[in-house]
Amino acid sequence: MSHSAPNVAPGLGAPGTVRESHDHHEIGFFRKYIFSTDHKVIGIQFMMTGLVMMILGGLMAMAIRWQLAWPWTKMPLIGNLMFPKTGGAITPEFYTMLFTMHGTIMIFFVIIPLLTGAFGNFLIPLQIGAPDMAFPKLNMFGYWAMVPAMLCVVMGFLAEGGGPAAGWTAYPPLSTITSAAPGSLSGQTWWLLALTWVGVSSMMGAVNYVTTIVKMRAPGMTLMRMPLSIWALFIAALLQLFALPVLTAASIMQILDRTLQTGFFTPTNLIVNQMNPEMAGAAAGGQPLLWQHLFWFYSHPAVYIMVVPAMGLASDIIATHARKPIFGYKPMVYSMAAIAGLGFIVWGHHMFASGMNPGLAMTFMVSTIMIALPSAIKVFNWIGTLWGARIRFTTPMLNALAFVAMFIIGGLSGIWMAATPVDIYIHDTYIIVAHFHYVVFGGSVFAIFAAIYHWYPKMFGRMMNETLGKIHFVGSFVFTNCVFYMMHQLGMAGLMRRTADPYDYETYAHLQPLNEFISISAFCLFAWQIFFVINFFWSLGAGKRVGRNPWQASSLEWSAPSPPGHGNFDQELAVHRGPYEYADPDAIEDFSPQWVQNVGAGSDSSRSA
Amino acid sequence: MRILFTLLLLVMTVLGVWTFIDSETFLFGPQPEGYTWWWPAEISTYGEDIDFLFYLISGMILVFFVLTEGLLLWFVFKYGAKRPDKGAFSHGNHRLEFLWTGIPALLLLVIAFSQMSTFASIKFRSAIEDEPVFCDIWGSQFDWRFHYPGADGRLGTVDDLQSPFELVVPDDQKIVMNLRSRDVLHSFFIPKMRLKQDAVPGMTFPIWFQADPEQVALESKNHFDIICAELCGWGHYKMSGRVRVVSRSEYEAWLEEMTAKQFDNGFEAD
Ligand code: HEM
Ligand SMILES: [Cu+2]
Ligand SMILES: [Cu+2]
């Protein structure tokens, strides 16, 4: 509706004055906060949904950890409620549903919506100096497409036989043959529908982001003056655009396999549970490996969709709080682009054990090992940014630095797995689990925390409490490492993932104490998030009020009021320099905002703090 | 906060290095005899090559881990101190960029190419071209079954011997097996042999290992876990098996006994 609005909200006062910009047309509560087309509101909607889903996914993780530490024992608090038949203990069927839904929720309903949905929406127009997204209505629809997705997920659990149980990777034939697992009755179909809706949502977001970034930058905002967050979100959106159609097609094929017995993925001559699915009318002649190729063709790029935006956010935050220009801006951009490009030719590394041609596996190995290079370049540049800096240990900075520290671990362990002979042993062990939690939890989730602490004042006009923030950070950092570092050790000992009760194996019998340690750390990690929840809600009403630019940052969003009104900016915008001009010796202050022309001595202090 | 955060990073790095150097006694004291939180000792002919590559990569990982985390915490400590002036106004450095792109690129290429011959010698058909098939493996929800050729010496005929759960192998030959699945995906994993391969319904994968008698002799027992490594349903966790490594003569005795048992119709009392 407002995409024809001019770049600058009309009729506003002198640059730099703190004033609330007001809406010119009155809109009702529903249009303003529920069915809003304002990118900021949509971003906050995505954020709240994502955080709530994170609690849900986290609870599932706690149940998983309970089972791994004390298998088949009565679960405290909710055990009797959920499993009356077993006296409060998890059932093996339910365990498979738990890790399936934990992974699904965390990836598709938490990390991707938080990074691209929440921060993509909130930051893109603000950081490039646009009044809103290019297609505000599409944007609103993008958020509301998540609702059927969530309904489908819930329906899966309520369905006969229970939730989907084939893992977040949904490998056929376990996922396509209804007699193969209880959750493969209709739970799996609901899961596939949920995924399709998530895809619709992501697609609308991606179209919007790309168009907005290409078309709606403020005057002077050249591509190489964009904050790295914008570059990252741009690249992630391109990844979505190119990879997502493949997943959507594949999940529709799996839906057809399940409903119309098309048999894309189901081979002939199976005997499942004493039954031949072909006799039951399920066509066959399909190829299970086809699904794996299609799935990973999307889902490998998806892991970069989950980390590239986090890299961008962390870069912005580190430069701001280190009071230094980002080291190697262009290498940072190019390496993200390289990650995205290479990301399309590495999917086979998830299939080294699948039976693919070993010659092909070797080419996937080379491309995968080489994808560690751009990641390494980024790490070196973050470290370079800290060199000679003037670090402020704010909560966002601590979280962003922790992101770097833990991303290093996840990136390095990737090299083990990329090496095909080594991966023979470690494929599907807990080393994999440790690896992706280091990149997704240690990496992306810490970057998300950093970003929430950093942009909260812009979203709500108030600071989050620093003391609570630091308490939250220290505990989270310690417990995260206790949980996930030790998983490497489990994996080294050969422990397989997705094993409900490993201790009957001689190989694993001695691992229980270690699993207990991990589980206890995980419960602490979960409980520790209470500091974040309290801080988040308490600060909404009681946080210290802020002006436009509490962090003395120099990217464009900080020129707008906090929170920005409809149309975002209340001053004529022109961009004069790159986003990271901190510590310029010729400038009066240690930051030179993008929107201020003259920062040198003798210029008026038209910047607000 | 500066000191605290530096310490956190330091502890993380030191403990991390410790797990590389001495995973056995790490934090929790010694493990029971023969058990580790590290790779269990390998017992197959190619196990040594795989482990060597693992250590090669681990060495490099360790160096980069210490280097990057070390620089990070050093800079956090050093440049976190209050200072009166502005930070360095630096946008980067071309020479550094070339260095830290070029050196890792070379190292990574070396790693990539050093894997290839080992992988080829394990996975390529040429490794087992002239070898007879020792047995068939059938995976199904939730057990492993091993089919040995019967009197006719051929697999897939009515006189095949079937051994559920246990795979018995002589220690003096390459054990080539046809891996198949009857229903969903499974994965045949013998951790100590460094062997893992998915079983895909509708496809047959020839896989192999050869026990290394010297290594087996070092073990306290001669049987080892077989584990399903690919989610196959609710009972995935208990889809286990066992490989027993014996001498040629013991193997033949076992085979005879198996044959007798399987074809004993209960009438030929003696
Ligand atoms: C340095 C770059 C990286 C390399 C070389 C790398 C390599 C690999 C390899 C080879 C696997 C498959 C291992 C196996 O299943 O045997 C894997 C799994 C995985 N990686 Fe990475 N990775 C890298 C970075 C990342 C990043 C940045 C993310 C996410 C933000 C990520 C997320 C994952 C996930 C989620 C899986 C497991 C998927 C599953 O099987 O459920 N990786 N990685
Ligand atoms: Cu991948
Ligand atoms: Cu299994």
Side-chain angles (χ1 to χ4, degrees), chain A residues 548-569:
Chain A
R548 288 169 187 244
N549 194 356
W551 305 118
Q552 298 161 303
S554 52
S555 48
L556 276 190
E557 74 273 29
W558 303 104
S559 71
S562 307
H566 195 70
N568 292 344
F569 298 97

PDB file of all heavy atoms in Angstrom, chain A residues 548-569:
ATOM      1  N   ARG A 548      17.835   8.593  19.428  1.00  0.00           N
ATOM      2  CA  ARG A 548      17.919   7.886  18.156  1.00  0.00           C
ATOM      3  C   ARG A 548      19.076   6.916  18.104  1.00  0.00           C
ATOM      4  O   ARG A 548      19.001   5.888  17.458  1.00  0.00           O
ATOM      5  CB  ARG A 548      18.110   8.908  17.035  1.00  0.00           C
ATOM      6  CG  ARG A 548      16.872   9.675  16.789  1.00  0.00           C
ATOM      7  CD  ARG A 548      17.111  10.857  15.885  1.00  0.00           C
ATOM      8  NE  ARG A 548      15.866  11.601  15.877  1.00  0.00           N
ATOM      9  CZ  ARG A 548      15.115  11.763  14.789  1.00  0.00           C
ATOM     10  NH1 ARG A 548      15.494  11.278  13.636  1.00  0.00           N
ATOM     11  NH2 ARG A 548      13.989  12.423  14.860  1.00  0.00           N
ATOM     12  N   ASN A 549      20.154   7.276  18.744  1.00  0.00           N
ATOM     13  CA  ASN A 549      21.383   6.549  18.447  1.00  0.00           C
ATOM     14  C   ASN A 549      22.139   6.175  19.714  1.00  0.00           C
ATOM     15  O   ASN A 549      23.235   6.666  19.961  1.00  0.00           O
ATOM     16  CB  ASN A 549      22.261   7.418  17.537  1.00  0.00           C
ATOM     17  CG  ASN A 549      23.380   6.619  16.902  1.00  0.00           C
ATOM     18  OD1 ASN A 549      23.554   5.437  17.193  1.00  0.00           O
ATOM     19  ND2 ASN A 549      24.154   7.276  16.056  1.00  0.00           N
ATOM     20  N   PRO A 550      21.576   5.277  20.511  1.00  0.00           N
ATOM     21  CA  PRO A 550      22.181   4.993  21.810  1.00  0.00           C
ATOM     22  C   PRO A 550      23.571   4.376  21.716  1.00  0.00           C
ATOM     23  O   PRO A 550      24.381   4.538  22.621  1.00  0.00           O
ATOM     24  CB  PRO A 550      21.206   3.994  22.446  1.00  0.00           C
ATOM     25  CG  PRO A 550      20.463   3.405  21.304  1.00  0.00           C
ATOM     26  CD  PRO A 550      20.373   4.472  20.273  1.00  0.00           C
ATOM     27  N   TRP A 551      23.854   3.661  20.656  1.00  0.00           N
ATOM     28  CA  TRP A 551      25.169   2.999  20.564  1.00  0.00           C
ATOM     29  C   TRP A 551      26.176   3.867  19.831  1.00  0.00           C
ATOM     30  O   TRP A 551      27.292   3.437  19.575  1.00  0.00           O
ATOM     31  CB  TRP A 551      25.067   1.660  19.828  1.00  0.00           C
ATOM     32  CG  TRP A 551      24.078   0.672  20.367  1.00  0.00           C
ATOM     33  CD1 TRP A 551      22.995   0.192  19.687  1.00  0.00           C
ATOM     34  CD2 TRP A 551      24.075   0.007  21.627  1.00  0.00           C
ATOM     35  NE1 TRP A 551      22.322  -0.720  20.456  1.00  0.00           N
ATOM     36  CE2 TRP A 551      22.969  -0.859  21.659  1.00  0.00           C
ATOM     37  CE3 TRP A 551      24.907   0.064  22.749  1.00  0.00           C
ATOM     38  CZ2 TRP A 551      22.661  -1.662  22.755  1.00  0.00           C
ATOM     39  CZ3 TRP A 551      24.603  -0.735  23.838  1.00  0.00           C
ATOM     40  CH2 TRP A 551      23.494  -1.581  23.841  1.00  0.00           C
ATOM     41  N   GLN A 552      25.792   5.037  19.433  1.00  0.00           N
ATOM     42  CA  GLN A 552      26.642   5.878  18.576  1.00  0.00           C
ATOM     43  C   GLN A 552      27.128   5.097  17.366  1.00  0.00           C
ATOM     44  O   GLN A 552      28.324   4.970  17.110  1.00  0.00           O
ATOM     45  CB  GLN A 552      27.833   6.424  19.372  1.00  0.00           C
ATOM     46  CG  GLN A 552      27.362   7.293  20.514  1.00  0.00           C
ATOM     47  CD  GLN A 552      28.423   7.466  21.563  1.00  0.00           C
ATOM     48  OE1 GLN A 552      28.938   6.492  22.122  1.00  0.00           O
ATOM     49  NE2 GLN A 552      28.775   8.717  21.812  1.00  0.00           N
ATOM     50  N   ALA A 553      26.153   4.564  16.673  1.00  0.00           N
ATOM     51  CA  ALA A 553      26.446   3.770  15.489  1.00  0.00           C
ATOM     52  C   ALA A 553      26.284   4.636  14.263  1.00  0.00           C
ATOM     53  O   ALA A 553      25.716   5.718  14.328  1.00  0.00           O
ATOM     54  CB  ALA A 553      25.494   2.583  15.423  1.00  0.00           C
ATOM     55  N   SER A 554      26.796   4.165  13.139  1.00  0.00           N
ATOM     56  CA  SER A 554      26.781   5.075  11.992  1.00  0.00           C
ATOM     57  C   SER A 554      25.951   4.579  10.820  1.00  0.00           C
ATOM     58  O   SER A 554      25.955   5.214   9.781  1.00  0.00           O
ATOM     59  CB  SER A 554      28.214   5.373  11.548  1.00  0.00           C
ATOM     60  OG  SER A 554      28.906   4.179  11.353  1.00  0.00           O
ATOM     61  N   SER A 555      25.243   3.451  10.962  1.00  0.00           N
ATOM     62  CA  SER A 555      24.401   3.065   9.833  1.00  0.00           C
ATOM     63  C   SER A 555      23.040   3.757   9.925  1.00  0.00           C
ATOM     64  O   SER A 555      22.661   4.284  10.968  1.00  0.00           O
ATOM     65  CB  SER A 555      24.275   1.544   9.743  1.00  0.00           C
ATOM     66  OG  SER A 555      23.971   1.007  11.005  1.00  0.00           O
ATOM     67  N   LEU A 556      22.320   3.739   8.811  1.00  0.00           N
ATOM     68  CA  LEU A 556      21.173   4.634   8.632  1.00  0.00           C
ATOM     69  C   LEU A 556      20.040   4.472   9.631  1.00  0.00           C
ATOM     70  O   LEU A 556      19.351   5.444   9.943  1.00  0.00           O
ATOM     71  CB  LEU A 556      20.582   4.422   7.226  1.00  0.00           C
ATOM     72  CG  LEU A 556      21.237   5.172   6.075  1.00  0.00           C
ATOM     73  CD1 LEU A 556      20.375   5.040   4.837  1.00  0.00           C
ATOM     74  CD2 LEU A 556      21.394   6.642   6.440  1.00  0.00           C
ATOM     75  N   GLU A 557      19.816   3.223  10.093  1.00  0.00           N
ATOM     76  CA  GLU A 557      18.647   3.037  10.965  1.00  0.00           C
ATOM     77  C   GLU A 557      18.731   3.918  12.197  1.00  0.00           C
ATOM     78  O   GLU A 557      17.715   4.285  12.783  1.00  0.00           O
ATOM     79  CB  GLU A 557      18.477   1.563  11.343  1.00  0.00           C
ATOM     80  CG  GLU A 557      19.452   0.992  12.372  1.00  0.00           C
ATOM     81  CD  GLU A 557      20.738   0.465  11.746  1.00  0.00           C
ATOM     82  OE1 GLU A 557      21.135   0.979  10.689  1.00  0.00           O
ATOM     83  OE2 GLU A 557      21.355  -0.459  12.320  1.00  0.00           O
ATOM     84  N   TRP A 558      19.955   4.301  12.572  1.00  0.00           N
ATOM     85  CA  TRP A 558      20.110   5.087  13.793  1.00  0.00           C
ATOM     86  C   TRP A 558      19.827   6.573  13.581  1.00  0.00           C
ATOM     87  O   TRP A 558      19.905   7.359  14.518  1.00  0.00           O
ATOM     88  CB  TRP A 558      21.510   4.872  14.386  1.00  0.00           C
ATOM     89  CG  TRP A 558      21.741   3.416  14.643  1.00  0.00           C
ATOM     90  CD1 TRP A 558      22.499   2.569  13.898  1.00  0.00           C
ATOM     91  CD2 TRP A 558      21.163   2.613  15.677  1.00  0.00           C
ATOM     92  NE1 TRP A 558      22.436   1.299  14.396  1.00  0.00           N
ATOM     93  CE2 TRP A 558      21.626   1.295  15.501  1.00  0.00           C
ATOM     94  CE3 TRP A 558      20.288   2.879  16.744  1.00  0.00           C
ATOM     95  CZ2 TRP A 558      21.254   0.243  16.336  1.00  0.00           C
ATOM     96  CZ3 TRP A 558      19.922   1.836  17.584  1.00  0.00           C
ATOM     97  CH2 TRP A 558      20.403   0.532  17.374  1.00  0.00           C
ATOM     98  N   SER A 559      19.500   6.941  12.335  1.00  0.00           N
ATOM     99  CA  SER A 559      19.096   8.328  12.114  1.00  0.00           C
ATOM    100  C   SER A 559      17.602   8.502  12.323  1.00  0.00           C
ATOM    101  O   SER A 559      17.102   9.616  12.428  1.00  0.00           O
ATOM    102  CB  SER A 559      19.466   8.757  10.691  1.00  0.00           C
ATOM    103  OG  SER A 559      18.620   8.101   9.768  1.00  0.00           O
ATOM    104  N   ALA A 560      16.891   7.401  12.376  1.00  0.00           N
ATOM    105  CA  ALA A 560      15.437   7.474  12.537  1.00  0.00           C
ATOM    106  C   ALA A 560      15.095   7.543  14.013  1.00  0.00           C
ATOM    107  O   ALA A 560      15.909   7.177  14.869  1.00  0.00           O
ATOM    108  CB  ALA A 560      14.792   6.246  11.906  1.00  0.00           C
ATOM    109  N   PRO A 561      13.892   8.022  14.320  1.00  0.00           N
ATOM    110  CA  PRO A 561      13.478   8.024  15.725  1.00  0.00           C
ATOM    111  C   PRO A 561      13.415   6.600  16.262  1.00  0.00           C
ATOM    112  O   PRO A 561      13.317   5.647  15.504  1.00  0.00           O
ATOM    113  CB  PRO A 561      12.068   8.626  15.688  1.00  0.00           C
ATOM    114  CG  PRO A 561      11.920   9.227  14.342  1.00  0.00           C
ATOM    115  CD  PRO A 561      12.861   8.551  13.428  1.00  0.00           C
ATOM    116  N   SER A 562      13.491   6.454  17.584  1.00  0.00           N
ATOM    117  CA  SER A 562      13.373   5.132  18.191  1.00  0.00           C
ATOM    118  C   SER A 562      12.096   5.077  19.006  1.00  0.00           C
ATOM    119  O   SER A 562      12.009   5.778  19.999  1.00  0.00           O
ATOM    120  CB  SER A 562      14.537   4.857  19.138  1.00  0.00           C
ATOM    121  OG  SER A 562      15.765   5.063  18.521  1.00  0.00           O
ATOM    122  N   PRO A 563      11.132   4.307  18.673  1.00  0.00           N
ATOM    123  CA  PRO A 563      11.019   3.534  17.447  1.00  0.00           C
ATOM    124  C   PRO A 563      10.631   4.415  16.266  1.00  0.00           C
ATOM    125  O   PRO A 563       9.984   5.441  16.464  1.00  0.00           O
ATOM    126  CB  PRO A 563       9.877   2.561  17.774  1.00  0.00           C
ATOM    127  CG  PRO A 563       9.046   3.262  18.789  1.00  0.00           C
ATOM    128  CD  PRO A 563       9.978   4.125  19.574  1.00  0.00           C
ATOM    129  N   PRO A 564      10.996   4.015  15.068  1.00  0.00           N
ATOM    130  CA  PRO A 564      10.667   4.822  13.900  1.00  0.00           C
ATOM    131  C   PRO A 564       9.173   4.788  13.645  1.00  0.00           C
ATOM    132  O   PRO A 564       8.523   3.780  13.883  1.00  0.00           O
ATOM    133  CB  PRO A 564      11.413   4.116  12.754  1.00  0.00           C
ATOM    134  CG  PRO A 564      12.335   3.146  13.398  1.00  0.00           C
ATOM    135  CD  PRO A 564      11.730   2.784  14.711  1.00  0.00           C
ATOM    136  N   GLY A 565       8.648   5.886  13.193  1.00  0.00           N
ATOM    137  CA  GLY A 565       7.224   5.923  12.890  1.00  0.00           C
ATOM    138  C   GLY A 565       6.940   5.323  11.532  1.00  0.00           C
ATOM    139  O   GLY A 565       7.821   4.756  10.881  1.00  0.00           O
ATOM    140  N   HIS A 566       5.694   5.487  11.103  1.00  0.00           N
ATOM    141  CA  HIS A 566       5.319   4.991   9.794  1.00  0.00           C
ATOM    142  C   HIS A 566       6.125   5.726   8.729  1.00  0.00           C
ATOM    143  O   HIS A 566       6.221   6.939   8.743  1.00  0.00           O
ATOM    144  CB  HIS A 566       3.825   5.251   9.580  1.00  0.00           C
ATOM    145  CG  HIS A 566       3.278   4.474   8.441  1.00  0.00           C
ATOM    146  ND1 HIS A 566       3.121   3.104   8.486  1.00  0.00           N
ATOM    147  CD2 HIS A 566       2.861   4.872   7.223  1.00  0.00           C
ATOM    148  CE1 HIS A 566       2.632   2.693   7.335  1.00  0.00           C
ATOM    149  NE2 HIS A 566       2.466   3.737   6.550  1.00  0.00           N
ATOM    150  N   GLY A 567       6.752   4.986   7.824  1.00  0.00           N
ATOM    151  CA  GLY A 567       7.586   5.647   6.825  1.00  0.00           C
ATOM    152  C   GLY A 567       9.019   5.833   7.278  1.00  0.00           C
ATOM    153  O   GLY A 567       9.864   6.317   6.529  1.00  0.00           O
ATOM    154  N   ASN A 568       9.290   5.460   8.491  1.00  0.00           N
ATOM    155  CA  ASN A 568      10.648   5.345   9.035  1.00  0.00           C
ATOM    156  C   ASN A 568      11.413   6.629   9.277  1.00  0.00           C
ATOM    157  O   ASN A 568      11.824   6.912  10.396  1.00  0.00           O
ATOM    158  CB  ASN A 568      11.528   4.452   8.160  1.00  0.00           C
ATOM    159  CG  ASN A 568      11.081   3.016   8.213  1.00  0.00           C
ATOM    160  OD1 ASN A 568      10.326   2.629   9.109  1.00  0.00           O
ATOM    161  ND2 ASN A 568      11.519   2.228   7.258  1.00  0.00           N
ATOM    162  N   PHE A 569      11.653   7.428   8.228  1.00  0.00           N
ATOM    163  CA  PHE A 569      12.606   8.530   8.399  1.00  0.00           C
ATOM    164  C   PHE A 569      11.876   9.861   8.415  1.00  0.00           C
ATOM    165  O   PHE A 569      10.902  10.058   7.705  1.00  0.00           O
ATOM    166  CB  PHE A 569      13.657   8.509   7.294  1.00  0.00           C
ATOM    167  CG  PHE A 569      14.478   7.251   7.329  1.00  0.00           C
ATOM    168  CD1 PHE A 569      14.162   6.174   6.507  1.00  0.00           C
ATOM    169  CD2 PHE A 569      15.541   7.126   8.206  1.00  0.00           C
ATOM    170  CE1 PHE A 569      14.898   5.008   6.548  1.00  0.00           C
ATOM    171  CE2 PHE A 569      16.280   5.956   8.258  1.00  0.00           C
ATOM    172  CZ  PHE A 569      15.966   4.902   7.422  1.00  0.00           C
TER     173      PHE A 569
END
